[in-house]
Amino acid sequence: MIIQLVLYFGGLVTFAVALVTYFATRRAWPAPVVLMPMFAFVSYYSTNEQMILWIGAGFSLLAYLVALTIKVLVKRDKQQG
């Protein structure tokens, strides 16, 4: 049950965190820095600690890639416009 909640939470929050951190800082690296402690906090209180940390690492990497993609697209849009 907790794994399903972590997956739903991670899927919803990953893109929101990536968008907010990129537009707030104009950098891609703060997205996983903000996201991973959330998963570490949840894993501390769970019996599946290691699995939740791996899921968190995956979503942190995904958040970084989303923020990096946003950065590239914004840069490309500025160059064309």
Side-chain angles (χ1 to χ4, degrees):
M1 180 68 181
I2 190 76
I3 299 296
Q4 289 176 338
L5 290 174
V6 168
L7 288 172
Y8 294 145
F9 167 79
L12 293 173
V13 172
T14 296
F15 294 104
V17 167
L19 284 169
V20 169
T21 56
Y22 174 73
F23 286 115
T25 64
R26 298 286 185 214
R27 292 181 176 86
W29 64 265
V33 172
V34 170
L35 199 58
M36 194 59 198
M38 294 179 201
F39 285 99
F41 177 77
V42 170
S43 73
Y44 183 74
Y45 294 104
S46 175
T47 57
N48 300 341
E49 182 176 348
Q50 187 175 10
M51 182 175 280
I52 292 175
L53 286 176
W54 279 110
I55 291 169
F59 278 124
S60 295
L61 178 63
L62 184 64
Y64 175 73
L65 294 174
V66 167
L68 199 60
T69 303
I70 293 168
K71 181 178 182 177
V72 167
L73 291 174
V74 167
K75 193 175 203 179
R76 186 184 302 169
D77 188 44
K78 285 182 181 179
Q79 288 176 350
Q80 288 179 356

